[in-house]
Amino acid sequence: MDMKQLNDSQKAAVKAVDKPVLIFAGAGSGKTRVLTHKIAFLIKEDIVKAEEILAVTFTNKAAEVMKQRVTKLMKNKVQEINIGTFHSICARILRNEIRHLGFSKDFAIYDRTDQISLLKIILAEENIPKNILMPKTVRNKISYFKSQLINPNHAMKSVKTAQDKSIIDVYKSYNNSLKENNAVDFDDLLNFPLDIFNNHPRILNKYQKLWKYILVDEYQDTNKAQFLLVKMLAEKHRNICVVGDDDQSIYGWRGADIRNILDFEKDFPECETYTLENNYRSTNQILHAAQSVVRNNSDRVDKDLLSVNGEGDLIGVIETHDEMEEADAVINALEKEIKMKKRTFNDFSVLYRTNSQSRALEDSFRRSAIPYKIIGGTRFYERKEVKDVLGYLRLIVNLKDTISLRRVINFPPRGIGLKTVDKCFIQSVKDNKKLFDVLKNPEPMKIRGKQGDSLIAFYKLIKKYNELLPKLNASELARALVEEVGILKFYKRQDNIEDNERYNNVLEILNSIDEIVERKSNASINDFLEEVSLLTDIDEWNNDDNFVTMMTVHSSKGLEFPVVFLTGLEDGLFPLSIALNEKEIMEEERRLFYVALTRSQDMVYLLYATDRRRSGSDSWGGIVSRFVKEIPEVYLENISFSSAMTRKLVKTKAGDIKMKIKRTITTFDDFKVGDIVEHAIFGDGKIMALSGSGENQRVGVVFKDGLKKKLIVKFAKLKKIS
């Protein structure tokens, strides 16, 4: 097979197939290339059949890229290779085997929102007020227990306070409720296959025979359950290849264990280890700076990355006064990059440590009419109208799903209030029936008239589509259901912009169901629901559109951009204050900084503010992050910046002294219709309309490429061309 595009280290790693293999792949060193070539090599050399390979990664986007590359290497010959995320592979196992745990194969997968809804019900039933236990807090604690494979009985042994006991009691009730709802959460997806394999060795043996060669991407991000799953599956043949970078292990807070990759040689002592150090993404200036920081960590394997792209530009460091000036500095540098290097908006990414930092940045982008997209905001499939459609689909697939039932029983409004639902729930407990089953007979609950008729009509509607599941494909069933329920009609008759957007979002979800049917003609509603439930923020990201990408550093992992702005670089923010006295947390923060820098291909800007306003206080005296100080000055260039903002101390009516900030205002009334103007980003254009005066003056401009923009003059920085 042709390996011309691989370097010597990559070739050696690809050809090592008769023993466990550990590949330390530094940032941008071509790990996906190695993985895909290795899969193709295994098939072409007839070492294993395509269907006997299992390749596991962490995002659907990464899995899809791997599939496409393998198909190309195999010259488009269709191969039945099992490539997927941990969660999707485990979901597939459970569809076949979950009956051994007392669930049926049409189980629902509850996301964070569903979990919290279920916990609210449990806390209310157990008379635990919100000021004692918050649903979100309990959910996070339960997730921690599950990630460490700690069941309620084991957790109870370490109880120290009354609150601890309450959490574990809720944990037990939560697990029972999930089973009653025939539902699992994301942690269960990983843990339940282990339960089945441990209790049914015959089933484990079946999957060991099925998958004779196992490859794991991003191995440094595996948690305890994922580690045990991989180890159990590989135990029989010992044919396993794991790829990862200990310097990019950044998910310890959600259970990932860096020791899994660092101790791989202990778990598989006969393994061969390879290190990939040629970097194909960044410049040497970026790599040297990133490595000079991460080398301050003690828990790591040393690597010496060298770029094939040359030295590159120095890293820009910009000190600003506050978060507003920091945002202006980003815009200023971005505009210069566009003008001097002819870049487009999708060349840029703005990264921050916490989501709360995005507000000031968003304000600045809006003022400057620069298109942007936030990754990690409200995802499409988390919007109310979309969740409502999903709720109907989930209920008709799984009639035990009380969370979905509660969500949709009165949407669109049909006169069934919360008190009525509570009566139905009490009756279901009394009769030992599913909540859904008591809806067909409202008489024992003394629910009569329109409410009783509505309950019966709702029951018949859901029952009808449940019986249609095997008769219609996913697209036919979903469109018929949405039409009969009247969701589109409900949003169409609402006369406002928000409901018009919701109407379009409902159409979009129907289109997405059409797409899965186009890919797989016999796709079921359950296939669609499973695919949707396992999507991540990054899976929905598409860099073909021309906008600046904004996201947390965690969300950026696995991506790359020509230019990266890393904002909020003050001690206490990045690294977080919790890390200042915790070595383990500090080392993860340092790895996170390393990940941020190595997202960049050409240029990095590091920004910090000396007086950032933070939640809970008027301002935060900013000290530049120790990570910036850990970079030798030879790799840095200090860039001076001062925005058009004035600050002065003023006395409030209450007698307090506060800082008043406003933008410097100049005269704006010298433009007229017909003027030719220049914009730093959009180029030359002609003013076609004017409104307002002074600092509120707005202009409508048509630029040379036909682009039409409405701009506020004081922010647009237009220059008149004579």
Side-chain angles (χ1 to χ4, degrees):
M1 122 175 221
D2 185 8
M3 295 194 188
K4 288 179 183 175
Q5 53 183 309
L6 302 182
N7 62 43
D8 291 343
S9 298
Q10 292 172 331
K11 284 177 189 173
V14 166
K15 291 180 178 180
V17 294
D18 57 348
K19 57 179 70 68
V21 174
L22 167 62
I23 304 172
F24 284 107
S29 62
K31 69 177 176 64
T32 305
R33 186 184 305 168
V34 170
L35 276 172
T36 51
H37 274 78
K38 195 173 187 75
I39 293 170
F41 181 78
L42 289 166
I43 299 167
K44 286 189 174 181
E45 295 298 314
D46 205 25
I47 296 163
V48 288
K49 295 183 177 69
E51 62 270 19
E52 294 173 332
I53 297 171
L54 173 64
V56 193
T57 186
F58 275 82
T59 67
N60 293 289
K61 186 178 282 290
E64 192 56 40
V65 168
M66 285 175 68
K67 287 177 187 174
Q68 290 169 1
R69 291 200 194 178
V70 171
T71 302
K72 190 175 180 181
L73 287 169
M74 298 302 296
K75 297 185 176 172
N76 295 320
K77 291 179 184 175
V78 178
Q79 301 291 336
E80 292 299 321
I81 307 164
N82 299 286
I83 301 177
T85 64
F86 272 100
H87 287 93
S88 67
I89 296 296
C90 287
R92 195 189 315 171
I93 293 171
L94 291 178
R95 293 290 173 202
N96 295 324
E97 314 296 347
I98 201 168
R99 66 184 184 279
H100 297 288
L101 299 178
F103 293 75
S104 63
K105 66 178 183 179
D106 56 1
F107 61 85
I109 301 173
Y110 279 4
D111 62 16
R112 182 185 293 265
T113 305
D114 301 321
Q115 289 175 275
I116 289 172
S117 296
L118 182 57
L119 285 166
K120 284 179 180 177
I121 294 168
I122 292 168
L123 291 170
E125 287 174 358
E126 299 188 5
N127 295 314
I128 302 175
K130 285 184 180 179
N131 62 333
I132 300 297
L133 284 181
M134 292 285 289
K136 185 178 177 181
T137 304
V138 180
R139 183 256 163 214
N140 292 341
K141 190 67 176 175
I142 289 173
S143 184
Y144 169 76
F145 282 138
K146 290 190 176 188
S147 73
Q148 299 302 310
L149 304 180
I150 301 171
N151 64 36
N153 292 334
H154 288 138
M156 193 62 81
K157 293 175 183 176
S158 58
V159 163
K160 293 180 180 177
T161 65
Q163 188 181 60
D164 288 344
K165 185 180 182 304
S166 294
I167 289 174
I168 295 162
D169 286 339
V170 172
Y171 179 15
K172 192 178 291 185
S173 299
Y174 169 78
N175 279 349
N176 292 336
S177 294
L178 282 176
K179 195 163 188 177
E180 288 168 6
N181 282 271
N182 192 36
V184 302
D185 60 29
F186 286 104
D187 294 302
D188 293 333
L189 282 177
L190 300 177
N191 295 353
F192 281 2
L194 295 178
D195 292 344
I196 294 169
F197 290 163
N198 281 320
N199 294 310
H200 302 274
R202 178 183 54 82
I203 297 174
L204 171 60
N205 187 53
K206 179 175 85 172
Y207 286 96
Q208 287 174 334
K209 284 182 177 178
L210 180 65
W211 295 320
K212 292 179 181 174
Y213 204 103
I214 296 171
L215 302 100
V216 186
D217 189 17
E218 304 284 11
Y219 192 66
Q220 78 281 348
D221 291 334
T222 53
N223 64 16
K224 191 172 183 178
Q226 290 158 335
F227 161 73
L228 288 173
L229 182 73
V230 168
K231 190 178 179 186
M232 291 172 83
L233 290 171
E235 199 70 45
K236 189 179 186 72
H237 299 286
R238 313 289 285 180
N239 287 328
I240 180 171
C241 172
V242 302
V243 184
D245 182 7
D246 49 308
D247 287 334
Q248 296 185 70
S249 178
I250 58 173
Y251 295 110
W253 50 276
R254 69 180 189 199
D257 188 351
I258 194 174
R259 300 310 315 175
N260 289 346
I261 192 167
L262 295 177
D263 292 343
F264 184 81
E265 291 163 302
K266 294 179 183 177
D267 300 310
F268 295 90
E270 74 273 36
C271 85
E272 285 189 3
T273 302
Y274 299 86
T275 305
L276 308 182
E277 296 178 309
N278 283 5
N279 177 279
Y280 297 91
R281 178 191 298 151
S282 307
T283 64
N284 273 324
Q285 298 282 9
I286 295 168
L287 292 180
H288 294 332
Q291 289 181 111
S292 66
V293 175
V294 83
R295 280 190 178 125
N296 290 292
N297 281 355
S298 56
D299 244 357
R300 65 183 296 271
V301 172
D302 195 36
K303 292 170 282 294
D304 189 15
L305 297 186
L306 190 66
S307 173
V308 300
N309 300 320
E311 291 306 301
D313 295 327
L314 295 175
I315 291 172
V317 179
I318 305 176
E319 178 187 298
T320 62
H321 181 79
D322 54 24
E323 71 279 5
M324 290 180 287
E325 189 168 270
E326 179 185 65
D328 284 355
V330 169
I331 299 293
N332 182 263
L334 184 148
E335 289 176 341
K336 286 179 180 176
E337 287 277 344
I338 288 174
K339 200 165 189 178
M340 303 296 291
K341 299 184 181 177
K342 309 300 179 187
R343 299 194 190 275
T344 54
F345 293 130
N346 58 0
D347 287 336
F348 301 95
S349 177
V350 183
L351 306 181
Y352 34 81
R353 180 63 185 84
T354 63
N355 277 307
S356 61
Q357 292 168 247
S358 69
R359 185 199 57 78
L361 292 160
E362 283 190 83
D363 289 347
S364 194
F365 277 113
R366 279 198 296 266
R367 279 194 301 267
S368 302
I370 294 176
Y372 67 91
K373 184 170 184 178
I374 293 183
I375 306 300
T378 302
R379 288 170 46 206
F380 176 77
Y381 290 103
E382 289 177 350
R383 291 170 180 158
K384 181 197 177 299
E385 62 277 12
V386 176
K387 289 279 282 184
D388 288 337
V389 175
L390 294 178
Y392 271 105
L393 297 177
R394 284 173 26 166
L395 181 57
I396 65 172
V397 167
N398 175 18
L399 298 177
K400 292 181 179 180
D401 186 354
T402 60
I403 296 302
S404 294
L405 188 152
R406 286 172 180 270
R407 180 176 193 96
V408 302
I409 195 168
N410 198 38
F411 179 81
R414 49 175 65 91
I416 303 173
L418 292 175
K419 288 183 179 178
T420 301
V421 176
D422 288 341
K423 284 182 183 179
C424 295
F425 177 74
I426 292 167
Q427 190 69 36
S428 71
V429 174
K430 182 181 175 183
D431 295 346
N432 195 25
K433 289 182 178 179
K434 294 197 299 278
L435 177 58
F436 177 73
D437 285 341
V438 304
L439 305 182
K440 64 182 175 184
N441 184 17
E443 188 61 35
M445 298 171 283
K446 298 182 179 177
I447 300 171
R448 302 183 180 91
K450 288 184 179 179
Q451 278 193 329
D453 293 341
S454 292
L455 281 179
I456 295 168
F458 179 76
Y459 173 85
K460 288 180 177 178
L461 174 80
I462 300 302
K463 192 71 175 173
K464 169 186 170 182
Y465 282 94
N466 175 259
E467 292 169 354
L468 284 172
L469 279 171
K471 300 173 185 176
L472 301 176
N473 70 27
S475 181
E476 293 166 340
L477 190 140
R479 287 187 176 276
L481 175 68
V482 167
E483 177 67 30
E484 185 165 349
V485 168
I487 296 175
L488 285 172
K489 192 184 292 183
F490 174 78
Y491 285 125
K492 198 167 187 177
R493 66 171 177 251
Q494 310 298 320
D495 190 23
N496 58 65
I497 295 171
E498 290 82 4
D499 282 313
N500 183 54
E501 185 179 339
R502 292 188 179 105
Y503 176 87
N504 289 326
N505 286 339
V506 173
L507 290 178
E508 186 59 32
I509 194 172
L510 293 174
N511 291 338
S512 67
I513 298 173
D514 293 343
E515 286 169 12
I516 193 173
V517 172
E518 285 173 17
R519 296 199 309 268
K520 181 183 172 186
S521 59
N522 62 341
S524 67
I525 288 294
N526 224 12
D527 292 330
F528 171 72
L529 291 172
E530 187 168 300
E531 187 172 296
V532 166
S533 67
L534 300 178
L535 284 174
T536 65
D537 295 325
I538 295 304
D539 293 323
E540 296 180 45
W541 176 77
N542 179 5
N543 203 31
D544 292 338
D545 298 327
N546 194 21
F547 50 69
V548 178
T549 301
M550 294 171 57
M551 64 182 114
T552 64
V553 182
H554 280 101
S555 295
S556 74
K557 190 161 173 288
L559 303 179
E560 57 185 38
F561 300 88
V563 182
V564 167
F565 294 93
L566 183 52
T567 62
L569 285 170
E570 301 109 47
D571 263 10
L573 183 54
F574 197 178
L576 293 174
S577 54
I578 192 175
L580 300 181
N581 297 308
E582 293 283 345
K583 177 180 177 289
E584 195 173 302
I585 301 175
M586 180 60 76
E587 293 211 348
E588 183 155 315
E589 290 285 298
R590 195 173 274 115
R591 292 192 293 268
L592 191 60
F593 183 82
Y594 172 85
V595 165
L597 261 62
T598 55
R599 297 312 91 205
S600 175
Q601 296 166 306
D602 303 330
M603 185 67 196
V604 174
Y605 291 91
L606 307 178
L607 298 98
Y608 65 97
T610 58
D611 195 28
R612 183 180 304 275
R613 284 181 294 180
R614 300 278 292 276
S615 57
S617 63
D618 289 336
S619 65
W620 176 278
I623 300 172
V624 63
S625 169
R626 63 195 62 204
F627 299 155
V628 177
K629 293 178 181 177
E630 287 174 2
I631 302 174
E633 289 187 11
V634 67
Y635 303 127
L636 303 176
E637 177 188 5
N638 289 308
I639 299 172
S640 61
F641 174 78
S642 110
S643 66
M645 301 176 78
T646 58
R647 298 169 176 80
K648 63 179 180 178
L649 295 174
V650 295
K651 197 170 186 178
T652 67
K653 290 180 180 178
D656 300 323
I657 303 295
K658 286 199 172 184
M659 178 77 74
K660 186 176 181 181
I661 303 171
K662 69 175 184 177
R663 295 183 178 274
T664 304
I665 303 301
T666 55
T667 303
F668 298 113
D669 291 330
D670 55 348
F671 289 116
K672 62 181 185 295
V673 172
D675 280 349
I676 306 299
V677 293
E678 180 188 32
H679 188 277
I681 294 170
F682 304 122
D684 296 349
K686 185 176 183 179
I687 294 179
M688 305 301 291
L690 270 174
S691 64
S693 61
E695 65 180 81
N696 295 316
Q697 188 178 47
R698 296 171 182 266
V699 293
V701 184
V702 177
F703 293 95
K704 277 188 175 179
D705 58 359
L707 179 70
K708 296 177 181 178
K709 285 286 178 182
K710 291 180 181 178
L711 305 171
I712 300 174
V713 175
K714 73 171 178 176
F715 299 131
K717 301 177 185 175
L718 295 172
K719 293 179 183 176
K720 191 185 292 188
I721 301 174
S722 56

